[in-house]
Amino acid sequence: MPGFAAGRLDRLNSTLRLEGTDHLKGQDVILVACDPAYFRRYALSFIKSLALIGKAFCVHLHLLQPDQTVLDEVDRLRRLYRTIRLSTTIDPLDGLDLPRRLNIYYNAARFVGAPRLLDLGVERLLILDIDTIARSCPWETLDAVTAQAAFNFRPHKAKPWQKIIANAVYYRNTPLSRDFAGRLARVLLAGLAAGPHYHLDQILPHYLLQIGARSFAAGIASVPADLISLDYAEDASLWTAKGADKASARFLAERARIDAMALPAANGRQRA
């Protein structure tokens, strides 16, 4: 139902602190979420990979219980990468019923936080894993998408929790996408309150789309095949890795290559 678990979402939103969001209205925004460990491990490589593309990007970081060193590093990244406009949500992990395994909430947090950004008036929202490497501009790939929202569907998979992979979710700011994003956020919070022992960020979108097929089917499509790749496809705009593959030689080598590259400065010289 449209109002299901609305009180849970309102209670969580009252604890979240958004910073640096004044410029987001009308912008295309990339949303990622991370705790301090994932921030230190992946955020720098991800943001630098975007900066190396040579275009301006708005990136919103949903930070889970960040310590002061993380906040200081965000400020440093703002100064270092002038083409990346960073905004943040500070999430103290209050105002909600957390599962025993916190990483279950960590994976869901970006989808719980997405409706706030849509309400701020962002034009398009692309929700990614923080352990992503950008190889070309994802917005140019998404220009071909006429749907109001898009998921990385895998219809050939047998299990319901495999039918959608949550490494790339796209919302164009429309009434339909805002409705869907709000419902997904609320059902995730209700699911988290039940104390699950498994991740919800892939299985619940699958069932929500099944249950609401008559309302949402016409407006929700698949993301382009060349948007994001788990298999390091050369034509993909984005690379990401799942599970143990984060330690694979190919993924680590690409991260190392990105980290070692120099950024072009405004005066044409190179800077680290």
Side-chain angles (χ1 to χ4, degrees):
M1 299 296 292
F4 174 73
R8 291 186 184 277
L9 185 57
D10 291 341
R11 182 158 54 99
L12 173 64
N13 282 338
S14 70
T15 71
L16 304 179
R17 188 172 83 248
L18 275 66
E19 298 181 347
T21 58
D22 293 345
H23 67 284
L24 293 186
K25 186 174 182 178
Q27 299 297 315
D28 295 333
V29 178
I30 296 171
L31 167 62
V32 292
C34 53
D35 68 343
Y38 262 52
F39 177 86
R40 295 185 179 99
R41 193 176 305 164
Y42 298 112
L44 181 59
S45 297
F46 172 59
I47 292 170
K48 187 172 185 179
S49 71
L50 288 170
L52 286 165
I53 293 171
K55 297 180 180 293
F57 291 96
C58 295
V59 177
H60 188 84
L61 301 170
H62 189 116
L63 300 173
L64 301 151
Q65 285 189 320
D67 54 37
Q68 190 58 49
T69 61
V70 168
L71 300 179
D72 291 345
E73 180 66 8
V74 171
D75 287 337
R76 189 185 75 86
L77 293 174
R78 287 189 176 111
R79 296 190 301 270
L80 183 61
Y81 299 113
R82 299 294 186 176
T83 60
I84 310 297
R85 300 193 69 176
L86 289 176
S87 55
T88 58
T89 291
I90 309 302
D91 186 343
L93 273 64
D94 293 332
L96 74 165
D97 300 300
L98 289 167
R100 182 171 297 179
R101 290 175 53 194
L102 285 180
N103 64 331
I104 294 174
Y105 174 63
Y106 292 171
N107 282 6
R110 56 207 159 118
F111 302 110
V112 173
R116 286 284 293 275
L117 297 181
L118 293 171
D119 288 343
L120 288 176
V122 306
E123 183 68 21
R124 296 187 292 179
L125 187 65
L126 177 59
I127 307 172
L128 300 174
D129 290 329
I130 189 68
D131 49 352
T132 297
I133 294 170
R135 296 169 52 80
S136 63
C137 179
W139 298 118
E140 294 176 357
T141 304
L142 288 165
D143 284 342
V145 176
T146 58
Q148 300 174 64
F151 283 80
N152 196 350
F153 291 112
R154 300 193 296 178
H156 59 286
K157 294 292 186 179
K159 305 295 185 181
W161 58 87
Q162 299 173 324
K163 294 285 189 180
I164 289 175
I165 186 167
N167 59 2
V169 173
Y170 168 74
Y171 293 135
R172 183 161 54 87
N173 201 334
T174 68
L176 181 144
S177 65
R178 290 194 299 274
D179 182 17
F180 182 86
R183 294 190 194 215
L184 177 56
R186 293 192 296 271
V187 77
L188 281 168
L189 288 175
L192 290 164
H197 298 286
Y198 48 84
H199 292 283
L200 303 176
D201 57 316
Q202 298 186 161
I203 192 170
L204 288 186
H206 166 72
Y207 282 124
L208 187 58
L209 284 169
Q210 274 198 338
I211 293 167
R214 295 176 65 181
S215 300
F216 299 121
I220 298 180
S222 295
V223 298
D226 58 349
L227 176 67
I228 192 163
S229 175
L230 288 170
D231 302 316
Y232 316 120
E234 290 297 330
D235 63 341
S237 296
L238 306 164
W239 281 2
T240 188
K242 297 290 282 186
D245 203 40
K246 292 181 177 69
S248 69
R250 184 73 185 275
F251 190 70
L252 292 177
E254 183 65 11
R255 280 185 57 208
R257 186 184 72 84
I258 292 292
D259 293 344
M261 291 180 69
L263 291 173
N267 61 6
R269 298 180 181 177
Q270 297 290 307
R271 59 183 173 87

